[in-house]
Amino acid sequence: RVDVTHAPLVVGNLLCALGCATLPSLSALPSLAAAISTQGACMGLLDTGGNVLLIWLQGPTRVEPYMQAMHAAFAIGAVASPLFIEWALTELRSFAPAFYSIAAFLALCSLPLATYRGPLAPAEDAAARGGGGGDGVKDRGEREAAGRRCAVRALVCGSALCLLFAVGAEVTFGGFATTFGIEALAMSDGSARGFASVFWGGLAAGRIAAVPAAARLSPATILGASMAGSLVFSATACLPAAPPA
């Protein structure tokens, strides 16, 4: 059952920790952009690696609630981070201790990954490897397999395109929420950081609600409801703001 350690996850986690630890000391825009871009790539590695690991552990028919729970933890961290930084700025007059604490926590989370040996990749289906039967049966099976592969490729490409826009919009607004609160809503700095936490809190609530929903509803039902809700609330966000009294 065991094969190799989770080296990509460990490396990604440690690089994220290193990025958090170095960000407070950077002041030039190019170095900041390089550090944040590297950290973002490592987060993508952790996200994808965690998804694959869960599928290996739970199987494709049971993974949905576990996947939602993992992403709910991400959203909870996104809620806590702005509040933690706001506390550091208020009490310690510097955001650096918050970044150093997050970096230390990430480094500690790498220890279990470094010692745990992961599962083997799931065995291929016997039918996919080929089996008995005459030439006619084999040809028909190969044609059906080719059709399934085309359908899977189309589904993967469509899902990737959907995630490109959906997750891109989510992360973009999450990073822009503080500036939006200050510039467009005339919030104070502290209130704007709280506004960003509220946004991520909504994401966390949706993820937590999706845990039991994923165990009871089909993916098509959950996706359809999520997309409809996103369109409705995105449309309301585009309405013109009321003039000040």
Side-chain angles (χ1 to χ4, degrees):
R1 182 175 172 78
V2 295
D3 185 18
V4 296
T5 55
H6 302 304
L9 296 180
V10 173
V11 171
N13 221 30
L14 289 176
L15 287 176
C16 283
L18 181 63
C20 280
T22 57
L23 280 176
S25 62
L26 301 177
S27 56
L29 182 59
S31 58
L32 275 170
I36 292 174
S37 297
T38 302
Q39 193 172 25
C42 293
M43 289 179 180
L45 177 66
L46 289 172
D47 195 350
T48 304
N51 291 341
V52 172
L53 178 61
L54 280 176
I55 294 172
W56 281 7
L57 287 172
Q58 302 299 331
T61 59
R62 300 196 316 151
V63 74
E64 291 93 344
Y66 301 95
M67 189 81 72
Q68 296 293 349
M70 183 187 73
H71 287 279
F74 156 76
I76 292 171
V79 174
S81 296
L83 299 178
F84 186 37
I85 293 173
E86 174 64 19
W87 173 84
L89 285 172
T90 303
E91 300 296 329
L92 306 176
R93 305 300 179 186
S94 173
F95 60 83
F99 279 86
Y100 295 148
S101 300
I102 294 171
F105 182 74
L106 286 172
L108 287 175
C109 289
S110 301
L111 294 178
L113 288 173
T115 57
Y116 174 72
R117 301 183 69 84
L120 291 169
E124 293 180 351
D125 185 78
R129 294 196 303 266
D135 291 340
V137 174
K138 185 179 295 185
D139 291 342
R140 186 168 61 251
E142 289 177 353
R143 288 195 297 271
E144 291 176 353
R148 285 195 297 271
R149 286 194 295 270
C150 290
V152 168
R153 290 192 187 102
L155 178 62
V156 170
C157 291
S159 300
L161 187 63
C162 178
L163 290 173
L164 172 68
F165 291 103
V167 179
E170 167 197 315
V171 176
T172 299
F173 185 77
F176 179 65
T178 302
T179 302
F180 179 78
I182 294 172
E183 298 293 335
L185 304 180
M187 292 180 172
S188 65
D189 291 354
S191 298
R193 284 187 284 270
F195 174 65
S197 288
V198 170
F199 168 76
W200 290 112
L203 182 68
R207 287 292 190 183
I208 293 170
V211 174
R216 293 171 174 82
L217 302 175
S218 69
T221 301
I222 296 174
L223 283 173
S226 299
M227 289 183 177
S230 296
L231 286 174
V232 170
F233 287 106
S234 296
T236 60
C238 295
L239 296 176

